[in-house]
Each structure stands twice: as structure tokens, then as C-alpha cells.
Amino acid sequence: MKRFLLIVVFTGIAGLFSFAQDQFTPYDNLPGIDKIYKPTFTISYSGWKKMLYEYPINFRTIEEDFNSYSKQNTHEKSAIIRYYKIWRRSVEPFVNSSGEIVIPNIKEIYEKQFIVQKNAAKIQKSASFTNSEWTFLGPKETFWRNEENMNSDRIDENGDPKQCPWQVNVYSFDVANSNENILYCGTETGFVNKSTDKGLTWAQIGKDYPFGGGVPAVAIHPFSADTVYVSAGNQIHKTTNGGGIWTPLLQPDKTFGASRLRINPNNNNIIIAASNDGLYVSKDAGLSWNRKWSKPAYDVEFNTANPSIIYGISKNSSGKYQIVISKNNGDLFEVDSNFPTDYTETSGGLLAVTPANPNVLYATLLAKEGEENVPFILKGVATDGAFTWEQRKKGEYQSTGGLGGFTNGQGYFDLVLEVSQNDENLVFWGTCSLWKSTDGGKNYTGVGGYNGNFPIHPDIQDMKIMQNGDTWVATDGGMNFSTDYFTDTRNYYSRTKGIIGSDMWGFDQGWNEDIVVGGRYHNGNTALANFYGNKALRMGGAESATGWVIHGKSRHVAFDDLGNGWILPKTAEDIAEG
């Protein structure tokens, strides 16, 4: 028998990543990047899309190609575009004059960050404030700009413009089960805010504590509204005094980024985290963590009647979605062999449970058919512990559904799935828009975003339904509240007053008048002035780094995506003068 030795030579690490098209490159390990947002590579990718999966690449080259693509696809939204914007922001600080991306020592970065966070507790305890400190200008509360023929849902009982949920991208939030007036929310910009009056007002907490990045998960202790866990910057942070003092829980060599955090309602020391590295379990209130599932995990839920049963959604090595189940508090997870094996993962999925029927488990899958991205919703019903699965909804292809369609949207970055606690057939789902089903997930009507009657910001980030029907939704613009499952617009409210975290891409300030204008990431252009009080105006526009004050002319401003310039109103309630 002849034996042959096959030798394959790769020309450096560049060839390895380019040839194999690995999902992740060394760039994806940089601080500020959550790898779970990265969509699965597809052979149709070319140009800047393909470069995101190659190493090394030149920043100037990929940026030029992306900018050229964006000019020709101005209104496109997708998971790969969203990931590029996250990737770009994290990579740019490490780009040299020739466009080379110089990878730093990641381990040292996390070690230094951990030390700073540990020391921050001392600073928080002894912080003293002086008149020389910076003070927060805004946006503190954003309002619709007064226009002729305004929609009635944008006007209050006095005829003035209402608060507008176009202020800050809220990644995640939680409502305290022990006191539903108390909420905590985390922003894309790495801020944590707290409300004690059911969202009417918010205040920043942890001002002197660096969370280290965007906040994809928040979990409040079931019986203590003062104990909160937050995931941010590849770290789990904890407070036991309502946000006054925070501490990091993960050692620098054992960090992971949790996209979901769940606390066992019967044993509050048990916490489950879903991450790109798998499912992690803590049984000592976050002091130590053990990885119990090693494949990427997008979500985790406790069975509502028996919390020792835990569900997770993952994918196998072939890229097919899987449901994994633990029946012993997370000690062992096993694949549900009854779950269909023909759904190919492209950008993640979610689960939803309801106390209305503990034997029901909903799953949404951002999947693909051929080269088309398309979402699915499945319903599993357990009999004697074994699930029977039914496909309830197939959405629209990304290429044909458009921004207002039932599509994959921006992928896992914008994705919610929730079920009423009182009715297993009342199901909400969302990516760019929020949708509502009253027949168990088969048929849906648009609620808001790009589709629907409610004036909520597009791009749905997080959601929670309370037992009394109160329904909270976080979007790219802030917090939204309905008292009737988003049934009547008269029972809907924007709840963003005081939430800090707006991302100003560009701005300008007047010198003859105290005016500030700027372009905000996700939330368009805004105008602030001392004669508007604490109100910021939503001027419209998209995500441009823009805003100019024309010095010497009263209230004259300009934006590069809002026509030929503006003469701002004299008060926040008036109509612009020109």
C-alpha cells in the first residue's frame, strides 16, 4: 500500500483567513466588539463584506469600499452593515497612517480595565463633586419638532408636541418584579440608567464606573430591586445597592460577553448567561462561572413552572439551529432531538416562554434559504417532557421585504420575541419593526417602526411584558410603554426623559446665542438651546455627522441631510420660521 504525504503551504496568516473564510479574525477580539452580532459568512459576500472575514486587511481599503457601497445603497439595512459599523468604531483607534490595523495586546487591555473597575468602587464611595466638573447639557428629553398638519399622536392635550422616542439607543433593560416602578436600562454607548417612577424620569448611575462598552444584557434580582447584573465590555458587573457601587465579577483571563442574562426565580444564586462562547452557569450569585455548553448560544430561558428546566438556542458545527435543554439547573445541556434540523443559522435567534402555558416554547430563527435571508417562528409544545415542533410563521426574504417587511432586518442586533404572561397566543416579534400576533404566532400586524400605527423608533432592541399587561419596548431611540399590549395609541407613551447615552457624531455651537445642533447616531439631527429649557428637538435626518450654527444670524442652522438650512423656532413648541 502506497502512502502519500500531502503538504499544504499557506503564505502567512493572511492566506489562512482569506482561504478558509473563518467566521472570526483577530480584529473581532478587540474591545467594543460583540462577536455574536457578526452574521455567518456567505459565498455571495464580496468587497468590504468579504474583507470582514479576512486578515490582515487595510482599513483605508475596506472603508473606501464601504463608503462607495453606501452611496449606492443609501437605505439598506442588514446584519452585515450593522456589524461593520460596530467593527469600524472599535478598529479605528488602532489604525496607523498607512491604514494598517495594529492589533494591541488584548490581554493587557482587559487586565488594565479590570483594575480600573475594581478601583472604581473606592472612587464611587469617596467621590466629591466640585463646580469645576463638566455638567450634562443634553439631550435630556427629545420632543417632536412642531410642524403643520402634525399627526394627532404627536400632540398633547395642550396642542404642543409630545416627547419623542428618538434620543438614545437602548440595547437592553429590565423591570423589577419586586417593584415595577423600578427599571434599569443599558445603552449602546455604555451607560446604565435607572428609573424609580415607571420610566417617567431616568438618572444615570455608575457615573464614575467604566462599564467598558455597550450593554447587551440587564437582569434584576427577582426579590431585590437593588441587586442588578449587567453585561458590558466582555464582563459581568454587579451592584447590590441600586447602582451606587458596581464591581466586575469575571477575572481578566475568564471573561466572556453575555448577550442574555437570566436569574432563576426560585434560587436567586443561579444565573445563566448566553454568549458567543456558549452557555455559562453561576450558582453563587455571579462569583464564579462554569461553561456548560460550548457552541454559540443566542438566548436562554427558564421553564415558568419548573425553573430547574432551562432552554437554550444554539447552532451545531454545520451551522444548523439547535434547541438545548437542561433538566438539572444547568449542570448538563442536551440537544432536543425533536427540533427540526433544516434551519441554517445566519444571524441568531431567540426563545420565549409564558406562565400561561409552561409546556409551550417559542423560537425565532434568523435563517437563510439558499442565498436569501428569511426569519422563521416555531412553536414547541411539550408532552411528558418531549417537544413537538410546528413552524408558525415564515417571513419575507430580505431582498424583497424592504425596511417595512417581516424580514431579518439588521439581524440579532435588532431582535425581540415575547409572549404575554396571560395568553400563550399573544406573541410579539420584531427586527426593524415590531409585529403583534393574536393567534399563536401565525399572523401578524405591524405595531410600529417602519410598519404600524405606533410612533416608536425603528429597530427593536429589547422587550418585556408584565403580568398586568404593561408592555415595555426598547429601540434605537429609547424606551416605549403601553398599558394595553400596544392596542390603542392613546395608551402608548414615550419614556425617555433623562436617559443619557445619545451618540453625537458631529455638532456645532453658537457664540452669539446658546444653541447646539448635531447629528446623532441612530436618532438623526437635534437642536438644543437655552431658550428651549431641557427640551431637545428632533429635526429629522438619518445618521450623518452634521450640524452647523450660522454665526451672526439669529437661530440660523444647517444640516447636510436636511435641505437648505433652518431658522429654528423661538421656543421648543413653536413652528420653525424658515
Side-chain angles (χ1 to χ4, degrees):
M1 181 176 66
K2 295 182 179 180
R3 295 181 179 178
F4 296 89
L5 176 63
L6 177 62
I7 300 176
V8 181
V9 178
F10 292 103
T11 57
I13 196 168
L16 174 61
F17 280 95
S18 178
F19 178 83
Q21 293 300 349
D22 287 358
Q23 177 72 1
F24 302 113
T25 77
Y27 304 130
D28 297 313
N29 295 320
L30 289 170
I33 294 180
D34 190 339
K35 292 193 288 188
I36 204 161
Y37 291 140
K38 191 173 189 179
T40 300
F41 177 80
T42 177
I43 58 174
S44 65
Y45 285 165
S46 62
W48 66 269
K49 297 179 182 179
K50 186 178 180 182
M51 281 185 264
L52 278 175
Y53 299 82
E54 298 174 345
Y55 179 89
I57 58 173
N58 186 278
F59 180 80
R60 290 182 182 176
T61 303
I62 190 172
E63 177 74 351
E64 288 172 3
D65 193 65
F66 176 80
N67 289 337
S68 176
Y69 181 91
S70 297
K71 288 178 181 178
Q72 304 196 20
N73 302 273
T74 53
H75 298 296
E76 180 182 337
K77 283 192 171 186
S78 66
I80 191 69
I81 289 176
R82 173 56 56 217
Y83 189 76
Y84 178 78
K85 292 181 177 181
I86 296 171
W87 180 92
R88 182 192 189 281
R89 171 168 288 187
S90 298
V91 163
E92 192 173 20
F94 306 105
V95 177
N96 65 20
S97 58
S98 63
E100 178 189 5
I101 305 169
V102 182
I103 300 292
N105 188 316
I106 306 297
K107 181 182 177 182
E108 287 185 2
I109 290 178
Y110 284 118
E111 287 174 347
K112 291 178 181 178
Q113 179 174 282
F114 181 77
I115 293 172
V116 171
Q117 289 166 342
K118 292 289 284 187
N119 290 336
K122 302 174 184 177
I123 298 173
Q124 294 169 84
K125 290 178 181 178
S126 61
S128 60
F129 303 102
T130 67
N131 292 330
S132 63
E133 283 197 343
W134 286 80
T135 56
F136 180 65
L137 177 63
K140 297 177 180 177
E141 187 176 14
T142 304
F143 286 78
W144 297 105
R145 176 176 55 82
N146 199 345
E147 305 174 82
E148 294 182 1
N149 303 316
M150 285 186 71
N151 292 339
S152 59
D153 58 12
R154 301 184 180 189
I155 303 173
D156 65 18
E157 62 276 7
N158 298 318
D160 293 329
K162 287 183 177 180
Q163 184 190 104
C164 167
W166 254 256
Q167 181 160 304
V168 51
N169 183 6
V170 175
Y171 266 7
S172 59
F173 73 94
D174 199 6
V175 185
N177 291 328
S178 59
N179 184 347
E180 293 184 8
N181 289 321
I182 297 178
L183 296 89
Y184 296 79
C185 74
T187 72
E188 181 180 39
T189 43
F191 293 96
V192 177
N193 294 268
K194 178 182 179 180
S195 174
T196 58
D197 55 11
K198 215 166 188 175
L200 292 173
T201 60
W202 295 81
Q204 180 192 356
I205 56 177
K207 177 183 175 183
D208 298 298
Y209 182 87
F211 288 96
V215 184
V218 176
I220 305 174
H221 190 288
F223 304 119
S224 172
D226 286 336
T227 300
V228 186
Y229 300 86
V230 161
S231 170
N234 267 3
Q235 179 62 263
I236 308 295
H237 315 269
K238 181 179 181 179
T239 180
T240 57
N241 67 347
I245 298 175
W246 294 85
T247 55
L249 298 178
L250 307 179
Q251 294 297 317
D253 59 341
K254 296 181 180 180
T255 62
F256 60 88
S259 52
R260 292 292 186 275
L261 290 171
R262 300 283 187 256
I263 305 174
N264 187 313
N266 288 356
N267 183 344
N268 311 139
N269 288 323
I270 298 177
I271 310 169
I272 314 293
S275 81
N276 187 71
D277 299 318
L279 289 169
Y280 288 83
V281 178
S282 173
K283 294 193 175 182
D284 54 11
L287 294 178
S288 62
W289 297 79
N290 293 298
R291 186 166 65 167
K292 296 297 185 176
W293 185 259
S294 59
K295 296 289 193 300
Y298 304 100
D299 198 8
V300 62
E301 292 284 359
F302 289 97
N303 180 282
T304 57
N306 181 3
S308 66
I309 301 174
I310 305 168
Y311 308 114
I313 182 169
S314 181
K315 67 176 178 178
N316 62 22
S317 56
S318 299
K320 302 294 185 180
Y321 280 107
Q322 293 180 315
I323 298 297
V324 296
I325 302 175
S326 172
K327 297 181 180 179
N328 53 9
N329 286 311
D331 287 338
L332 175 67
F333 283 91
E334 296 181 318
V335 175
D336 177 11
S337 59
N338 294 324
F339 189 74
T341 59
D342 50 355
Y343 294 98
T344 301
E345 186 271 346
T346 183
S347 189
L350 292 179
L351 302 173
V353 294
T354 171
N357 188 345
N359 293 315
V360 164
L361 178 63
Y362 283 92
T364 183
L365 316 173
L366 300 184
K368 61 190 305 183
E369 287 186 338
E371 290 303 307
E372 287 282 3
N373 293 331
V374 59
F376 294 89
I377 297 174
L378 283 71
K379 183 178 182 179
V381 179
T383 303
D384 296 327
F387 277 102
T388 300
W389 290 93
E390 176 191 359
Q391 180 179 300
R392 305 290 283 182
K393 170 73 174 179
K394 176 183 177 181
E396 301 171 81
Y397 287 145
Q398 187 88 357
S399 62
T400 57
L403 291 179
F406 199 103
T407 69
N408 279 19
Q410 296 185 108
Y412 186 76
F413 183 83
D414 297 324
L415 183 62
V416 297
L417 177 68
E418 291 292 326
V419 186
S420 164
Q421 294 192 40
N422 305 304
D423 181 358
E424 68 175 273
N425 293 311
L426 182 56
V427 182
F428 287 85
W429 180 92
T431 53
C432 289
S433 296
L434 182 64
W435 300 80
K436 177 180 177 180
S437 170
T438 58
D439 60 2
K442 287 186 176 180
N443 298 287
Y444 289 82
T445 56
V447 173
Y450 292 111
N451 197 315
N453 297 323
F454 287 82
I456 66 175
H457 193 294
D459 305 335
I460 316 304
Q461 299 278 31
D462 201 359
M463 186 172 185
K464 187 166 185 177
I465 303 173
M466 310 307 293
Q467 190 171 19
N468 64 358
D470 286 354
T471 306
W472 293 91
V473 173
T475 71
D476 275 14
M479 295 296 296
N480 304 268
F481 176 64
S482 167
T483 59
D484 62 0
Y485 301 107
F486 283 93
T487 301
D488 191 328
T489 55
R490 290 172 296 183
N491 298 321
Y492 158 80
Y493 309 91
S494 169
R495 294 282 170 94
T496 63
K497 184 177 182 179
I499 299 181
I500 292 178
S502 298
D503 204 349
M504 305 295 292
W505 283 48
F507 74 98
D508 195 16
Q509 184 173 3
W511 55 264
N512 56 317
E513 290 178 310
D514 195 2
I515 291 176
V516 176
V517 295
R520 297 174 295 180
Y521 190 25
H522 302 294
N523 289 286
N525 302 299
T526 188
L528 298 86
N530 61 336
F531 40 86
Y532 294 162
N534 286 330
K535 292 184 176 182
L537 300 185
R538 175 186 182 264
M539 298 299 297
E543 295 184 342
S544 180
T546 185
W548 294 272
V549 177
I550 312 303
H551 296 169
K553 289 181 175 288
S554 178
R555 293 175 283 111
H556 281 53
V557 300
F559 306 90
D560 66 13
D561 56 355
L562 286 181
N564 296 319
W566 294 79
I567 305 175
L568 293 176
K570 293 181 179 179
T571 72
E573 295 74 31
D574 291 338
I575 294 177
E577 294 183 11

